[in-house]
Amino acid sequence: MYWSSTTLALALAVATAFEQHVLSNLTDVSYAQAGIMTMQDWYNEATGLWNPNLWWNSANILTVLADFAALDQSLDEVAHHVFENTFEKAQKNDFQTLRIMTPHSISRYQWPHFPPGYTEPASVGSAGFLNDFYDDEGWWALAWLKIYDITKKQRYLKAAIDIFEDMKTGWGATCGGMWWNKQHTYTGAIENELFLAVAAQLANRASNKDDYLQWALKEWEWFQGTGMINAEYNINNGVDFDTCENDGGTVWTYNQGVILGGLVELHKASPDDSYLVIAEKIAIAAIENLSDSDGILHEVGEPHCGVDGSQFKGIFMRNLQILQAARPNDRYERFINDNVESIWLNDRGNGNQLGLVWSGPFISADAITQSSACDALVAAL
């Protein structure tokens, strides 16, 4: 078929106008709504989790849904049903899995396919949203705190309080701070950041503020002393048991994110500008060191991030938005919007499925990549 230069120019103009229309409206609620509705395709009504019966990921997916519900009421019927259903059913599951964390990797195994030397099943889900991993517990505590903020139902606050009580038993690792798991195999940044975030949020919500605030302050003092926040203000993965210092492990995006939300909450509970100053330095370092030349965020190992790493970028975006709300910065806003534009234009498949590599091209999607991208879409709102 022959296309005249005039026809081609007109087609290009129409395409350009459409793209500009999309870019100028990406903060419209309809985009996040569309992404979340697709996300719900993976929701398992029977288990209260997102398929394939994800555990800690489901806590994060639930938080995405709650964050959206806090901003817009268009999906309230769906959201509040999921809150109730997941609270009732998810904690009745008991999947046997094993995760092994090292400074540079996170490996996951499903029973009975454990590696040599690991013969005892480790519970993933159980009553009260407790299990063998303190970071898993922290994700669920944050999810229920968000839902408490929306619903004001005391059972969600109580769930978070009960989870925190169990998390406290993980304090006192070899080098101080929190153990990652109840088998005491590693001390990482993430469980300590989550411990800080949950303690600080409870200090701002529960009746006995002082107790939770002291835990948050104790955690933050220890965390700073480890050197896990390196000279570039990136956070490495954990602590070396031989030196009790930074282990030089992988700089995962979620470790740069959870700390932001935790420090914002700590600042609310105990106003001290130094908390927000260091949060800003961590945020800027992540933007500068973990993004490509177009300002699009990437995870280490893309596109092979597994079921853990595929969740991480959205967690960073969620917490960057929390920092943006507390300490507005045009750079954060531009970064969030640039990533959302790239997700929608370059990493979107049929049915508004959203993939892992936000710079594109779209490869495939699952509940994890979908929810991680939706974190960014909601942040843009």
Side-chain angles (χ1 to χ4, degrees):
M1 180 181 295
Y2 173 75
W3 294 84
S4 70
S5 58
T6 302
T7 302
L8 288 172
L10 179 60
L12 179 60
V14 169
T16 301
F18 174 75
E19 181 172 315
Q20 289 175 343
H21 170 75
V22 169
L23 298 186
S24 66
N25 288 280
L26 279 171
T27 56
D28 186 279
V29 69
S30 61
Y31 293 92
Q33 183 187 75
I36 286 173
M37 289 304 294
T38 298
M39 182 180 82
Q40 288 306 105
D41 290 343
W42 285 280
Y43 186 63
N44 187 323
E45 190 76 21
T47 64
L49 301 172
W50 279 262
N51 285 328
N53 287 325
L54 303 164
W55 184 246
W56 78 270
N57 305 84
S58 286
N60 276 278
I61 301 171
L62 186 65
T63 303
V64 177
L65 183 61
D67 281 340
F68 180 84
L71 296 170
D72 184 84
Q73 297 180 342
S74 62
L75 297 180
D76 271 8
E77 184 176 350
V78 172
H80 287 268
H81 168 73
V82 170
F83 300 160
E84 297 282 342
N85 190 65
T86 294
F87 189 84
E88 293 295 331
K89 294 181 180 177
Q91 59 181 316
K92 296 177 182 178
N93 295 299
D94 188 16
F95 306 110
Q96 305 301 328
T97 194
L98 171 71
R99 282 189 292 144
I100 302 174
M101 183 178 285
T102 70
H104 301 285
S105 67
I106 305 171
S107 302
R108 180 185 295 266
Y109 304 89
Q110 193 73 26
W111 181 259
H113 304 292
F114 284 7
Y118 292 89
T119 57
E120 293 296 325
S123 177
V124 172
S126 62
F129 299 92
L130 308 179
N131 69 355
D132 288 344
F133 302 96
Y134 292 112
D135 57 338
D136 288 8
E137 293 183 2
W139 297 120
W140 282 107
L142 290 180
W144 297 125
L145 283 166
K146 184 64 183 183
I147 292 169
Y148 167 73
D149 287 347
I150 297 170
T151 66
K152 300 304 179 185
K153 292 184 178 179
Q154 287 295 316
R155 69 171 182 166
Y156 297 131
L157 177 60
K158 184 180 184 302
I161 290 172
D162 291 345
I163 292 169
F164 185 74
E165 287 302 306
D166 193 72
M167 292 180 75
K168 283 162 51 177
T169 67
W171 185 266
T174 298
C175 296
M178 289 282 297
W179 287 106
W180 174 55
N181 58 9
K182 293 176 181 177
Q183 289 72 36
H184 297 177
T185 62
Y186 191 72
T187 294
I190 192 58
E191 66 274 9
N192 283 283
E193 294 180 31
L194 287 164
F195 190 74
L196 167 65
V198 175
Q201 285 206 26
L202 286 172
N204 291 321
R205 292 162 177 79
S207 57
N208 49 334
K209 172 179 178 176
D210 289 345
D211 181 51
Y212 296 115
L213 178 57
Q214 289 308 308
W215 274 111
L217 292 169
K218 184 177 182 179
E219 171 62 68
W220 178 233
E221 181 181 11
W222 174 84
F223 196 92
Q224 285 185 292
T226 65
M228 282 190 286
I229 305 174
N230 64 33
E232 294 184 332
Y233 286 93
N234 287 139
I235 298 175
N236 294 98
N237 196 51
V239 174
D240 186 314
F241 286 159
D242 292 330
T243 65
C244 290
E245 296 176 351
N246 188 330
D247 64 9
T250 300
V251 177
W252 304 107
T253 57
Y254 77 155
N255 279 330
Q256 323 312 305
V258 175
I259 195 71
L260 305 182
L263 289 172
V264 168
E265 286 287 339
L266 182 57
H267 180 263
K268 291 178 183 177
S270 180
D272 182 335
D273 203 54
S274 69
Y275 303 144
L276 298 185
V277 169
I278 195 166
E280 289 182 304
K281 291 180 179 179
I282 293 168
I284 293 298
I287 290 170
E288 291 181 346
N289 297 331
L290 304 180
S291 304
D292 62 26
S293 59
D294 294 320
I296 307 306
L297 189 64
H298 290 273
E299 193 60 66
V300 174
E302 285 185 357
H304 306 292
C305 295
V307 296
D308 290 307
S310 298
Q311 194 80 59
F312 292 171
K313 290 185 297 185
I315 294 167
F316 175 77
M317 301 297 275
R318 181 196 314 159
N319 286 278
L320 181 64
Q321 185 278 325
I322 292 171
L323 177 60
Q324 166 70 0
R327 186 68 69 92
N329 185 318
D330 289 345
R331 190 168 184 184
Y332 306 155
E333 181 178 1
R334 185 168 60 251
F335 180 76
I336 291 170
N337 289 337
D338 286 349
N339 276 268
V340 167
E341 289 174 3
S342 187
I343 290 168
W344 200 258
L345 294 176
N346 302 317
D347 196 28
R348 180 167 57 103
N350 293 334
N352 294 317
Q353 290 192 352
L354 306 173
L356 168 64
V357 183
W358 292 354
S359 59
F362 174 81
I363 301 171
S364 63
D366 55 29
I368 303 170
T369 66
Q370 187 77 20
S371 61
S372 183
C374 282
D375 255 323
L377 292 171
V378 173
L381 294 180

